[in-house]
Amino acid sequence: MPRSIWKGAISFGLVTIPVKLYSATEEKDISFRQVHAEDGGRIKYKRVCELDGEEVPYGDIAKGYEMADGRMVVLDKEDMDQLPLATTKSVEVVQFVDSDEVDPAYFSKSYFLQADGPGVKPYVLLRDALTKSEQCAVVKVALRSREALALIRPKDGVLVMHTMLWPDELRDGSFAAPPDSVTVSDAEVTMAQSFIDALSGDFAPEDFTDSYREAVEALVQSKAEGVAPPEETEAPKEAEVVDLVAALRASVDAAKKRREAAAQAKTG
């Protein structure tokens, strides 16, 4: 069982729900060390003060905020602990919304909420009420020295909390929009819809794997064993197609063949 990273309480009106917080995700990326290419020795970094040139112990490092005029304001742990935040040890429910009202671009990280001690019954109450009303709770919470908006929703019998970015942390993407002068024909849209239909289905995350990570792991294993690395799989060559409709028609045919091959592989 993973270790909880935070303990506090959900304020659900006048009801208090003691909870523990657990990370709901773990990245499976390949982890590399920086090493000297000639002998494989690890590269080490030292924390050195630019003023006196001396190495600084981790315990002597504080947070520094540089003002516009160049002055440095130093904040230590005691300063940060004294911040007047009501959300430091509580999750304050501020609103209830439909889940589809929240743009997924706001989501940052996901956590499991577990009832702590006497919080089991009020936890079940909030979970079941959210489920029956088909609502999610918008909350404010302080995690890792910063306050965040978050969304709490029931999933598989557990309350899951998704921390969210603040509105001013989302960039304006209007610059990426194509010019209004660029249009497509009805035939092109219809063929694009056919391609979408050919690949439509129920989302099954277990059907997808990280091919890059698998390839790197195979490469590392082969070098560790002193054998030749796996041969590179040659990607199928496709003829250049200028006509969008023709390109989409070929895409539909290829998608159907891939789906048929996948279905045959599953059945065996």
Side-chain angles (χ1 to χ4, degrees):
M1 181 177 176
R3 293 179 58 185
S4 64
I5 61 173
W6 184 91
K7 287 182 67 174
I10 301 174
S11 297
F12 177 41
L14 296 179
V15 177
T16 299
I17 311 173
V19 292
K20 293 180 180 179
L21 195 70
Y22 298 85
S23 179
T25 61
E26 58 177 334
E27 294 190 4
K28 297 283 190 174
D29 197 9
I30 299 295
S31 178
F32 291 105
R33 303 277 189 180
Q34 287 192 327
V35 298
H36 188 192
E38 292 186 6
D39 55 23
R42 293 185 182 182
I43 304 299
K44 294 185 177 181
Y45 294 90
K46 295 183 178 181
R47 296 177 290 270
V48 178
C49 175
E50 66 175 356
L51 297 181
D52 58 27
E54 295 185 5
E55 186 173 357
V56 181
Y58 184 79
D60 292 344
I61 296 179
K63 297 179 183 292
Y65 183 88
E66 187 172 1
M67 306 289 287
D69 59 8
R71 288 179 299 160
M72 188 69 70
V73 178
V74 179
L75 302 174
D76 57 24
K77 184 178 183 301
E78 186 175 330
D79 293 324
M80 301 302 294
D81 289 342
Q82 291 176 353
L83 286 174
L85 283 179
T87 54
T88 303
K89 286 297 180 182
S90 68
V91 179
E92 178 190 359
V93 177
V94 295
Q95 190 179 14
F96 294 97
V97 299
D98 292 332
S99 58
D100 56 6
E101 289 185 28
V102 181
D103 188 336
Y106 280 101
F107 293 145
S108 178
K109 294 185 177 180
S110 299
Y111 300 90
F112 295 127
L113 289 168
Q114 181 188 47
D116 188 20
V120 174
K121 186 167 184 177
Y123 180 102
V124 171
L125 171 63
L126 177 58
R127 182 198 65 189
D128 292 355
L130 289 175
T131 301
K132 291 184 178 180
S133 61
E134 298 183 347
Q135 295 276 293
C136 297
V138 177
V139 303
K140 292 179 73 175
V141 60
L143 290 174
R144 294 190 171 93
S145 301
R146 63 169 297 181
E147 188 176 58
L149 276 178
L151 192 76
I152 294 179
R153 66 185 181 93
K155 181 182 184 295
D156 300 330
V158 176
L159 289 177
V160 180
M161 185 175 76
H162 306 278
T163 53
M164 299 162 59
L165 301 172
W166 294 101
D168 60 359
E169 293 179 313
L170 291 183
R171 293 176 174 170
D172 181 2
S174 58
F175 70 91
D180 295 337
S181 58
V182 177
T183 60
V184 293
S185 68
D186 292 342
E188 290 167 337
V189 173
T190 298
M191 189 54 66
Q193 288 176 314
S194 297
F195 178 63
I196 291 172
D197 292 340
L199 287 182
S200 294
D202 295 329
F203 178 54
E206 63 275 8
D207 289 345
F208 302 93
T209 58
D210 185 345
S211 301
Y212 175 79
R213 176 159 57 96
E214 292 173 350
V216 173
E217 289 174 343
L219 176 61
V220 169
Q221 188 66 30
S222 65
K223 296 205 73 170
E225 296 174 355
V227 299
E231 294 185 4
E232 181 180 354
T233 303
E234 185 176 353
K237 296 181 180 180
E238 297 182 2
E240 183 179 354
V241 183
V242 179
D243 183 4
L244 274 178
V245 173
L248 286 167
R249 184 176 292 112
S251 300
V252 171
D253 292 339
K256 288 180 178 178
K257 290 179 181 178
R258 287 199 303 270
R259 174 159 286 187
E260 290 173 357
Q264 290 177 356
K266 279 188 175 181
T267 55

Coordinates of all heavy atoms in Angstrom, one line a residue, residues 198-254:
A198 N -14.6 4.6 -38.6 CA -13.8 3.4 -38.7 C -13.0 3.1 -37.5 O -12.7 1.9 -37.2 CB -12.9 3.4 -40.0
L199 N -12.6 4.1 -36.8 CA -11.8 4.0 -35.6 C -12.5 4.2 -34.3 O -11.9 4.2 -33.2 CB -10.6 4.9 -35.6 CG -9.5 4.6 -36.6 CD1 -8.3 5.6 -36.5 CD2 -8.9 3.2 -36.4
S200 N -13.8 4.4 -34.4 CA -14.6 4.6 -33.1 C -14.8 3.3 -32.3 O -14.8 2.2 -32.9 CB -16.0 5.2 -33.5 OG -15.9 6.4 -34.1
G201 N -14.9 3.4 -31.0 CA -15.0 2.3 -30.2 C -15.0 2.7 -28.7 O -14.8 3.8 -28.4
D202 N -15.2 1.7 -27.8 CA -15.1 2.0 -26.4 C -13.6 2.1 -26.0 O -12.8 1.3 -26.4 CB -15.7 0.8 -25.6 CG -17.2 0.7 -25.9 OD1 -17.9 1.8 -26.1 OD2 -17.8 -0.4 -25.8
F203 N -13.3 3.1 -25.2 CA -12.0 3.3 -24.7 C -11.5 2.2 -23.8 O -12.1 2.0 -22.7 CB -11.8 4.7 -24.1 CG -10.5 5.0 -23.6 CD1 -9.4 4.9 -24.4 CD2 -10.3 5.4 -22.2 CE1 -8.1 5.2 -24.0 CE2 -9.0 5.7 -21.8 CZ -7.9 5.6 -22.6
A204 N -10.5 1.5 -24.1 CA -9.9 0.5 -23.3 C -8.4 0.8 -23.1 O -7.6 0.4 -23.9 CB -10.1 -0.9 -23.9
P205 N -8.0 1.5 -22.0 CA -6.6 1.9 -21.8 C -5.7 0.7 -21.8 O -4.5 0.9 -22.3 CB -6.7 2.5 -20.4 CG -8.1 2.9 -20.2 CD -8.9 1.9 -20.9
E206 N -6.1 -0.5 -21.4 CA -5.2 -1.6 -21.3 C -4.8 -2.1 -22.7 O -3.8 -2.9 -22.9 CB -5.8 -2.8 -20.6 CG -7.1 -3.4 -21.2 CD -8.4 -2.6 -20.8 OE1 -8.2 -1.5 -20.2 OE2 -9.5 -3.1 -21.2
D207 N -5.5 -1.6 -23.8 CA -5.1 -2.0 -25.1 C -3.9 -1.2 -25.7 O -3.4 -1.5 -26.8 CB -6.3 -1.8 -26.1 CG -7.4 -2.8 -25.8 OD1 -7.2 -3.8 -25.2 OD2 -8.5 -2.6 -26.3
F208 N -3.5 -0.2 -24.9 CA -2.4 0.6 -25.4 C -1.1 0.4 -24.6 O -1.2 0.2 -23.3 CB -2.8 2.1 -25.4 CG -4.0 2.4 -26.2 CD1 -5.3 2.4 -25.6 CD2 -3.9 2.7 -27.5 CE1 -6.4 2.6 -26.3 CE2 -5.1 3.0 -28.3 CZ -6.3 2.9 -27.7
T209 N 0.0 0.5 -25.2 CA 1.3 0.3 -24.5 C 2.3 1.4 -24.9 O 2.1 2.0 -26.0 CB 1.9 -1.0 -24.8 OG1 2.2 -1.2 -26.2 CG2 1.1 -2.2 -24.3
D210 N 3.3 1.7 -24.1 CA 4.3 2.7 -24.4 C 5.4 2.0 -25.2 O 6.3 1.5 -24.7 CB 4.8 3.2 -23.1 CG 5.8 4.4 -23.3 OD1 6.3 4.6 -24.4 OD2 6.1 5.1 -22.3
S211 N 5.3 2.1 -26.5 CA 6.2 1.5 -27.4 C 7.6 2.0 -27.3 O 8.6 1.3 -27.4 CB 5.8 1.7 -28.9 OG 4.5 1.1 -29.1
Y212 N 7.8 3.3 -27.0 CA 9.1 3.9 -26.8 C 9.8 3.4 -25.6 O 10.9 3.0 -25.7 CB 9.0 5.4 -26.7 CG 10.3 6.1 -26.4 CD1 11.2 6.4 -27.4 CD2 10.6 6.5 -25.1 CE1 12.4 7.0 -27.2 CE2 11.8 7.2 -24.9 CZ 12.7 7.4 -25.9 OH 13.9 8.0 -25.6
R213 N 9.0 3.3 -24.5 CA 9.7 2.7 -23.2 C 10.1 1.3 -23.4 O 11.1 0.9 -23.0 CB 8.7 2.9 -22.1 CG 9.2 2.2 -20.8 CD 8.4 2.8 -19.6 NE 7.0 2.7 -19.6 CZ 6.3 1.7 -19.1 NH1 7.0 0.7 -18.4 NH2 5.0 1.6 -19.2
E214 N 9.2 0.5 -24.1 CA 9.5 -0.9 -24.4 C 10.8 -1.0 -25.2 O 11.6 -1.9 -25.0 CB 8.3 -1.6 -25.0 CG 7.1 -1.7 -24.1 CD 5.9 -2.3 -24.8 OE1 6.0 -2.4 -26.1 OE2 4.9 -2.6 -24.2
A215 N 10.9 -0.1 -26.2 CA 12.1 -0.2 -27.1 C 13.4 0.2 -26.4 O 14.4 -0.5 -26.5 CB 11.9 0.7 -28.3
V216 N 13.3 1.2 -25.5 CA 14.4 1.6 -24.7 C 14.8 0.5 -23.7 O 16.0 0.2 -23.6 CB 14.2 2.9 -24.0 CG1 15.3 3.2 -23.0 CG2 14.0 4.1 -24.9
E217 N 13.9 -0.1 -23.1 CA 14.2 -1.2 -22.1 C 14.8 -2.4 -22.9 O 15.8 -3.0 -22.3 CB 12.9 -1.7 -21.5 CG 12.3 -0.7 -20.4 CD 11.0 -1.1 -19.9 OE1 10.3 -2.0 -20.5 OE2 10.6 -0.6 -18.8
A218 N 14.4 -2.7 -24.1 CA 15.0 -3.8 -24.9 C 16.4 -3.4 -25.3 O 17.3 -4.3 -25.2 CB 14.1 -4.1 -26.1
L219 N 16.6 -2.1 -25.6 CA 18.0 -1.7 -26.0 C 18.9 -1.8 -24.8 O 20.0 -2.2 -24.9 CB 17.9 -0.2 -26.5 CG 19.2 0.4 -26.8 CD1 19.9 -0.3 -27.9 CD2 19.0 1.9 -27.2
V220 N 18.5 -1.3 -23.6 CA 19.3 -1.4 -22.4 C 19.6 -2.8 -22.1 O 20.8 -3.1 -21.7 CB 18.6 -0.7 -21.2 CG1 19.3 -1.0 -19.9 CG2 18.4 0.8 -21.4
Q221 N 18.7 -3.7 -22.2 CA 18.9 -5.1 -21.8 C 19.9 -5.7 -22.8 O 20.8 -6.5 -22.4 CB 17.6 -5.9 -21.9 CG 17.6 -7.3 -21.4 CD 17.9 -7.4 -19.9 OE1 17.6 -6.5 -19.1 NE2 18.6 -8.5 -19.5
S222 N 19.8 -5.4 -24.1 CA 20.7 -6.0 -25.1 C 22.1 -5.5 -24.8 O 23.1 -6.3 -25.0 CB 20.2 -5.7 -26.5 OG 20.3 -4.3 -26.7
K223 N 22.3 -4.2 -24.5 CA 23.6 -3.7 -24.2 C 24.2 -4.3 -23.0 O 25.4 -4.5 -22.9 CB 23.6 -2.2 -24.2 CG 23.2 -1.5 -25.5 CD 23.7 -0.1 -25.6 CE 25.2 0.0 -25.9 NZ 25.7 1.3 -26.2
A224 N 23.4 -4.5 -22.0 CA 23.8 -5.1 -20.7 C 24.3 -6.5 -20.9 O 25.3 -6.9 -20.2 CB 22.7 -5.0 -19.6
E225 N 23.7 -7.2 -21.8 CA 24.0 -8.6 -22.1 C 25.1 -8.7 -23.2 O 25.6 -9.8 -23.5 CB 22.8 -9.4 -22.5 CG 21.7 -9.5 -21.4 CD 20.4 -10.1 -21.8 OE1 20.3 -10.4 -23.0 OE2 19.6 -10.3 -21.0
G226 N 25.4 -7.6 -23.8 CA 26.5 -7.6 -24.8 C 26.0 -8.3 -26.1 O 26.9 -8.8 -26.8
V227 N 24.8 -8.2 -26.4 CA 24.2 -8.7 -27.7 C 23.8 -7.6 -28.6 O 23.6 -6.5 -28.2 CB 23.1 -9.7 -27.4 CG1 23.6 -10.9 -26.5 CG2 21.9 -9.0 -26.7
A228 N 23.5 -8.0 -29.8 CA 23.1 -7.0 -30.8 C 21.7 -6.4 -30.4 O 20.8 -7.2 -30.0 CB 23.0 -7.6 -32.2
P229 N 21.5 -5.1 -30.6 CA 20.2 -4.6 -30.2 C 19.1 -5.0 -31.2 O 19.4 -5.5 -32.3 CB 20.4 -3.1 -30.4 CG 21.6 -2.9 -31.3 CD 22.5 -4.1 -31.1
P230 N 17.9 -5.0 -30.8 CA 16.8 -5.4 -31.6 C 16.8 -4.7 -32.9 O 17.1 -3.5 -33.0 CB 15.5 -5.1 -30.8 CG 16.0 -5.0 -29.4 CD 17.4 -4.5 -29.5
E231 N 16.4 -5.3 -34.0 CA 16.4 -4.7 -35.3 C 15.2 -3.7 -35.4 O 14.1 -4.0 -34.8 CB 16.3 -5.7 -36.4 CG 17.5 -6.6 -36.6 CD 17.4 -7.5 -37.8 OE1 16.4 -7.4 -38.5 OE2 18.3 -8.4 -38.0
E232 N 15.5 -2.6 -36.0 CA 14.4 -1.6 -36.2 C 13.3 -2.1 -37.1 O 13.6 -2.6 -38.2 CB 15.0 -0.3 -36.7 CG 14.0 0.9 -36.8 CD 14.7 2.1 -37.3 OE1 15.9 2.1 -37.5 OE2 14.0 3.1 -37.6
T233 N 12.1 -1.9 -36.7 CA 11.0 -2.3 -37.5 C 10.7 -1.2 -38.6 O 10.6 0.0 -38.2 CB 9.7 -2.5 -36.7 OG1 9.9 -3.4 -35.7 CG2 8.5 -2.9 -37.6
E234 N 10.8 -1.6 -39.8 CA 10.6 -0.6 -40.9 C 9.2 -0.2 -41.0 O 8.3 -1.1 -41.1 CB 11.1 -1.2 -42.2 CG 11.1 -0.2 -43.3 CD 11.7 -0.7 -44.6 OE1 12.3 -1.8 -44.5 OE2 11.7 0.0 -45.6
A235 N 8.9 1.1 -41.0 CA 7.6 1.6 -41.1 C 7.1 1.4 -42.5 O 7.9 1.6 -43.5 CB 7.5 3.1 -40.7
P236 N 5.8 1.1 -42.7 CA 5.3 0.9 -44.1 C 5.4 2.2 -44.8 O 5.1 3.3 -44.3 CB 3.8 0.4 -43.8 CG 3.5 0.9 -42.5 CD 4.8 0.8 -41.7
K237 N 5.8 2.1 -46.1 CA 5.9 3.3 -46.9 C 4.6 3.6 -47.6 O 3.9 2.7 -48.1 CB 7.0 3.1 -48.0 CG 8.4 3.0 -47.4 CD 9.4 2.8 -48.5 CE 10.8 2.7 -47.9 NZ 11.9 2.5 -48.9
E238 N 4.2 4.8 -47.5 CA 2.9 5.2 -48.1 C 3.1 6.2 -49.3 O 4.0 7.1 -49.2 CB 2.0 5.8 -47.1 CG 1.6 4.9 -46.0 CD 0.6 5.5 -45.0 OE1 0.2 6.7 -45.2 OE2 0.3 4.8 -44.0
A239 N 2.4 6.0 -50.3 CA 2.5 6.9 -51.4 C 2.0 8.3 -51.1 O 1.1 8.4 -50.3 CB 1.7 6.4 -52.6
E240 N 2.7 9.3 -51.6 CA 2.3 10.7 -51.4 C 1.0 10.9 -52.1 O 0.8 10.7 -53.3 CB 3.4 11.6 -51.9 CG 3.0 13.1 -51.6 CD 4.1 14.0 -52.0 OE1 5.2 13.6 -52.5 OE2 3.9 15.3 -52.0
V241 N 0.0 11.4 -51.3 CA -1.3 11.7 -51.9 C -1.6 13.2 -51.6 O -1.6 13.7 -50.5 CB -2.4 10.9 -51.2 CG1 -3.8 11.1 -51.8 CG2 -2.1 9.4 -51.3
V242 N -1.9 13.9 -52.7 CA -2.2 15.3 -52.6 C -3.7 15.6 -52.4 O -4.0 16.5 -51.6 CB -1.8 16.0 -53.9 CG1 -2.1 17.5 -53.9 CG2 -0.3 15.8 -54.2
D243 N -4.5 14.7 -52.9 CA -6.0 14.9 -52.8 C -6.4 14.5 -51.4 O -6.2 13.3 -51.0 CB -6.7 14.1 -53.9 CG -8.2 14.2 -53.8 OD1 -8.7 15.1 -53.0 OD2 -8.9 13.5 -54.6
L244 N -7.0 15.3 -50.6 CA -7.5 15.0 -49.2 C -8.4 13.9 -49.2 O -8.4 13.0 -48.3 CB -8.1 16.3 -48.6 CG -7.1 17.2 -47.9 CD1 -7.9 18.4 -47.3 CD2 -6.4 16.5 -46.8
V245 N -9.4 13.9 -50.1 CA -10.4 12.8 -50.1 C -9.8 11.5 -50.4 O -10.1 10.5 -49.7 CB -11.5 13.1 -51.2 CG1 -12.5 12.0 -51.3 CG2 -12.3 14.4 -50.8
A246 N -8.9 11.4 -51.3 CA -8.2 10.2 -51.6 C -7.3 9.7 -50.5 O -7.3 8.5 -50.1 CB -7.3 10.4 -52.9
A247 N -6.7 10.7 -49.8 CA -5.9 10.3 -48.6 C -6.7 9.8 -47.5 O -6.4 8.8 -46.9 CB -5.1 11.5 -48.2
L248 N -7.9 10.4 -47.3 CA -8.8 9.9 -46.2 C -9.4 8.5 -46.6 O -9.6 7.7 -45.7 CB -9.9 10.9 -46.0 CG -9.4 12.2 -45.2 CD1 -10.5 13.3 -45.3 CD2 -9.1 11.9 -43.8
R249 N -9.7 8.3 -47.9 CA -10.2 7.0 -48.3 C -9.2 5.9 -48.0 O -9.6 4.9 -47.5 CB -10.6 7.1 -49.8 CG -11.3 5.8 -50.2 CD -11.8 5.9 -51.7 NE -12.9 6.9 -51.8 CZ -12.8 8.0 -52.4 NH1 -11.6 8.4 -53.0 NH2 -13.8 8.8 -52.5
A250 N -8.0 6.2 -48.3 CA -6.9 5.2 -48.1 C -6.7 5.0 -46.6 O -6.5 3.9 -46.1 CB -5.6 5.7 -48.7
S251 N -6.9 6.1 -45.8 CA -6.8 6.0 -44.3 C -7.9 5.1 -43.8 O -7.7 4.3 -42.8 CB -6.9 7.4 -43.7 OG -5.8 8.2 -44.1
V252 N -9.1 5.3 -44.3 CA -10.3 4.4 -43.9 C -10.0 3.0 -44.1 O -10.2 2.1 -43.3 CB -11.6 4.9 -44.5 CG1 -12.7 3.9 -44.3 CG2 -12.0 6.3 -44.1
D253 N -9.5 2.7 -45.3 CA -9.2 1.3 -45.7 C -8.1 0.7 -44.8 O -8.2 -0.4 -44.3 CB -8.7 1.2 -47.2 CG -9.8 1.5 -48.2 OD1 -11.0 1.4 -47.7 OD2 -9.5 1.9 -49.3
A254 N -7.1 1.5 -44.5 CA -6.0 1.0 -43.6 C -6.5 0.8 -42.2 O -6.1 -0.2 -41.5 CB -4.9 2.0 -43.6

